Amino acid sequence: MSKFQVESYPLKPYEFSSHTLVSQIIRGAGQQILDIGCGSGTIEEITDARNNSFIGIDCIEPEKNQDRFKEFIIQDLEDGLPITKLKGRGFDYILLLDILEHLKNHTKLLQDVHQIADPDTKIIISVPNIANIYIRLSLLLGRFEYADRGTLDRTHLRFFTRSSFRRWVRDNHFVIEKQIYTNLPINEILKRRKSGLFLKVINHILHFFTNIFSGLLAYQLILVVKKK
């Protein structure tokens, strides 16, 4: 398997980014969290102060930031999860953040998560929205160009719309508790890591309309689910 899983996307600390929204979902401190496809621990970085206990699992152990994990398991995720090693751990959260779209056997991985999750475990899943307005306009202009980052990342093997993502999750015996949508990444487009007043206003307006027209404007789709 390629090294994309350990070469984490850069931390996006600004408002309404996927990293910020997921960190807000993980409430409280002292949580037991399994991060599948964790890379070098991007989400661990933003929630570090809460004393959560992270178990990371990925195909290659990260060369740095190993202290972010209580335990690290090396596993090729195309083969699924080491179920006997993970079952019965009592996870509060299981994270599948920006990983499923990279896998050929994405359904097997989700089915394995179902086996190791407890009834009260919250599973947070994020994938890019292939039907966002930027991709639609690009197709209208006859363009479908892969890139190093973003929705058309060269390592993406699976694509989801809002409806196909929700249907796939339900078909694999999960109940959707919450749906969250990220804005189009204005900060990334303008190369601004922090939000000034202008960007803050634009992001709030965009977030308002993204929640209304999520199928069209959402950049990433985030579901919080539990097993049936």
Side-chain angles (χ1 to χ4, degrees), residues 29 54 116 126 130 142 185 189 209 216:
F54 282 93
I116 66 170
S126 70
I130 190 61
I189 293 169
F209 284 105
L216 178 65

Side-chain angles (χ1 to χ4, degrees), residues 10 20 27 33 48 50 62 71 99 115 120 139 141 159-160 176 182 192 196 199 208 211 217-218:
T20 300
R27 300 181 182 278
I33 302 170
D48 184 55
R50 302 179 195 174
E71 180 183 351
I99 182 64
Q115 290 192 58
D120 293 332
L139 286 171
L141 296 172
F159 297 102
F160 298 91
I176 297 172
T182 72
R192 299 282 294 277
L199 277 177
F208 174 79
N211 283 323
L217 295 180

